Amino acid sequence: MKNTVPTILSHGSRPRLYKCCFAARKRYISTTPLRPTSLPPPAPSSGFAHLSNRALISINGQDAAHYLQGLTTANIKTSPSSSSSQSGFYSAFLNAQGRVLHDVFVYPSHHAAELRGESHGEPSFLIDVDKAHVETLRAHLKRYKLRAKIQFRVVDSGERDVWATWGGDDGAVGNTANLGSQDVGCTDTRAPDMGQRVITYAGGKPTISSGEETPVESYDIRRILKGVPQGQSEILSGEALPQESNIDYMGGIDFRKGCYVGQELTIRTHHTGVVRKRILPVQLYSIEDEKPPDTLQYNPQSLLELPLGVQNISRVNTRGRSAGKWLTGVGNIGLALCRLETMTDVRLTEEGSQWSPEHEFKMSWHSEGDEERQLKIKAFVPDWHRNRPTVRDMHRQPND
């Protein structure tokens, strides 16, 4: 079989698939390593990127706000006056078992539609979703439509574009400087300094006072370094839990709203206050290296070969249960679902943790020629994780 070079990031289109089994569940992944022939440059401190890996679904109709309120983890204002003034926000769709199906941005688009003469006085929204899974989300929306007075469609790629902007004063929280009069968007609150999301009509670009246009691959490097997962190759559809995927930390869940699909497990997990695994940024280094890296840093000259698909992570020279799962990466960095008390110094209970600074971790896989490959891997806990209040703090009375 001829070797083909896939895209640098493993969440793009997939090459031919091979059977592989993890734990008791079969997964279908390619074992072809990612060849670092031309790694993307890091993103500049200020810039904007066309997110070509995202797609849009348009929803409108008199029941649109109530309909989405029953399906998404974020709170949607359902009164006509308040919903028209609500800015875009981060959210997720769950299945009935509380597992993530899609992580999304939702943008109320009534005002922009009115300016273009496309509004009929009804609520309207745009949903920004992983492009590879847009049809799956459309089918999910259709399943729950029932008698709701709504219409929805997948927006043609030549009709609207999704952009990310960051850096300088334009990326400040609450700033709408990058939005034209007919654009929609929001501040990206998933992590500090993530900037803004902007939806323009095709051919348009966001207005930004400084910075340069950057490839989406460089934007992804910036996002990974901040520990922000996105899309269903990183937040595995039908498997990932919202808290383990940091959707709670990234502001995508309103724990005070009423019933929605998947709410029961989400609320119960929140009130126990213990989430033992989370998606974290990781750095890879050679199995021959004796010293792990001290800081998380992207190396565009990295020669490491990365696997495609999920891989188990284990302690070096130790047998035992999995310490985590590798999800995706580029060069020498990536994202992994990590057991916090095993791979980091985070303590979740008073019982202590299994972590030690001397512990090292690795992932192993076999190439197409059945050659075993190994890389060491170190997890880093972002400051914005550590600085969040605990569930106990959030529910503590003022006089406690």
Side-chain angles (χ1 to χ4, degrees):
M1 175 180 169
K2 183 179 177 181
N3 254 345
T4 58
V5 180
T7 57
I8 294 298
L9 286 175
S10 61
H11 57 272
S13 57
R14 292 186 176 183
R16 186 177 294 180
L17 304 180
Y18 293 84
K19 292 183 179 180
C20 186
C21 182
F22 295 96
R25 179 178 296 181
K26 288 185 177 180
R27 296 190 59 81
Y28 295 88
I29 67 166
S30 168
T31 55
T32 306
L34 286 169
R35 308 225 176 243
T37 54
S38 56
L39 293 177
S45 59
S46 179
F48 58 101
H50 176 212
L51 305 186
S52 55
N53 52 9
R54 305 293 288 181
L56 294 167
I57 292 179
S58 172
I59 298 182
N60 67 282
Q62 67 182 63
D63 294 338
H66 288 280
Y67 171 75
L68 289 175
Q69 176 74 340
L71 288 181
T72 62
T73 56
N75 189 42
I76 296 178
K77 298 177 182 178
T78 54
S79 67
S81 58
S82 60
S83 63
S84 62
S85 62
Q86 186 176 21
S87 62
F89 51 89
Y90 179 64
S91 187
F93 289 87
L94 311 181
N95 63 17
Q97 292 73 41
R99 306 279 173 167
V100 180
L101 295 177
H102 307 275
D103 62 306
V104 298
F105 280 86
V106 180
Y107 312 93
S109 54
H110 330 313
H111 179 65
E114 288 173 356
L115 289 174
R116 291 182 64 89
E118 299 172 353
S119 173
H120 302 287
E122 298 176 336
S124 59
F125 299 86
L126 290 171
I127 301 176
D128 164 358
V129 64
D130 185 338
K131 189 173 186 177
H133 290 258
V134 64
E135 288 297 335
T136 307
L137 177 55
R138 186 191 66 81
H140 180 71
L141 295 173
K142 183 178 180 181
R143 176 184 178 187
Y144 287 95
K145 180 179 183 294
L146 301 178
R147 297 182 180 179
K149 296 179 181 179
I150 59 170
Q151 301 83 40
F152 53 82
R153 65 182 179 90
V154 176
V155 177
D156 293 337
S157 58
E159 184 178 342
R160 295 262 198 167
D161 291 325
V162 183
W163 296 83
T165 72
W166 65 92
D169 295 335
D170 294 332
V173 174
N175 194 334
T176 58
N178 299 337
L179 297 181
S181 62
Q182 298 179 5
D183 297 337
V184 295
C186 65
T187 300
D188 187 345
T189 59
R190 292 177 296 175
D193 303 319
M194 281 297 293
Q196 286 186 292
R197 302 283 275 221
V198 180
I199 309 299
T200 67
Y201 280 86
K205 293 184 179 182
T207 303
I208 183 169
S209 61
S210 62
E212 58 189 83
E213 186 170 353
T214 302
V216 64
E217 293 84 3
S218 295
Y219 167 79
D220 283 330
I221 291 169
R222 185 176 189 273
R223 178 177 59 77
I224 289 171
L225 287 170
K226 289 181 176 292
V228 175
Q230 177 176 280
Q232 276 43 80
S233 64
E234 300 172 10
I235 302 175
L236 302 179
S237 182
E239 297 183 29
L241 290 169
Q243 283 95 331
E244 291 182 353
S245 305
N246 303 328
I247 293 176
D248 57 340
Y249 280 11
M250 296 188 293
I253 305 175
D254 188 330
F255 292 104
R256 299 167 296 180
K257 71 174 284 187
C259 182
Y260 58 88
V261 176
Q263 181 194 35
E264 183 179 353
L265 178 62
T266 304
I267 291 293
R268 187 166 65 244
T269 303
H270 172 67
H271 286 291
T272 62
V274 179
V275 178
R276 299 192 179 278
K277 294 181 287 184
R278 285 195 179 270
I279 294 178
L280 298 176
V282 296
Q283 185 157 326
L284 304 171
Y285 56 110
S286 171
I287 199 72
E288 288 84 17
D289 290 347
E290 296 183 358
K291 183 181 179 182
D294 295 323
T295 58
L296 180 66
Q297 188 172 3
Y298 171 63
N299 178 11
Q301 281 78 47
S302 172
L303 298 177
L304 299 177
E305 294 184 352
L306 310 185
L308 285 173
V310 176
Q311 301 291 340
N312 280 327
I313 300 171
S314 60
R315 267 187 58 190
V316 173
N317 300 325
T318 302
R319 292 182 178 272
R321 69 175 181 174
S322 171
K325 289 184 178 181
W326 162 264
L327 299 171
T328 190
V330 53
N332 65 324
I333 62 169
L335 294 172
L337 180 64
C338 304
R339 292 188 181 276
L340 296 175
E341 291 190 321
T342 302
M343 293 188 68
T344 77
D345 61 351
V346 172
R347 294 186 61 178
L348 302 173
T349 65
E350 299 300 326
E351 300 172 2
S353 71
Q354 306 168 11
W355 177 83
S356 168
E358 286 77 32
H359 293 169
E360 288 189 287
F361 300 89
K362 67 175 183 178
M363 59 178 176
S364 304
W365 73 99
H366 286 80
S367 64
E368 289 181 7
D370 204 33
E371 178 184 353
E372 184 178 27
R373 300 178 182 272
Q374 293 184 333
L375 285 173
K376 289 182 181 178
I377 183 168
K378 181 176 178 178
F380 291 84
V381 181
D383 289 340
W384 59 275
H385 280 219
R386 296 186 186 274
N387 296 334
R388 291 188 60 85
T390 65
V391 172
R392 182 179 301 174
D393 291 335
M394 288 188 289
H395 293 282
R396 183 174 292 157
Q397 298 299 316
N399 295 326
D400 287 354

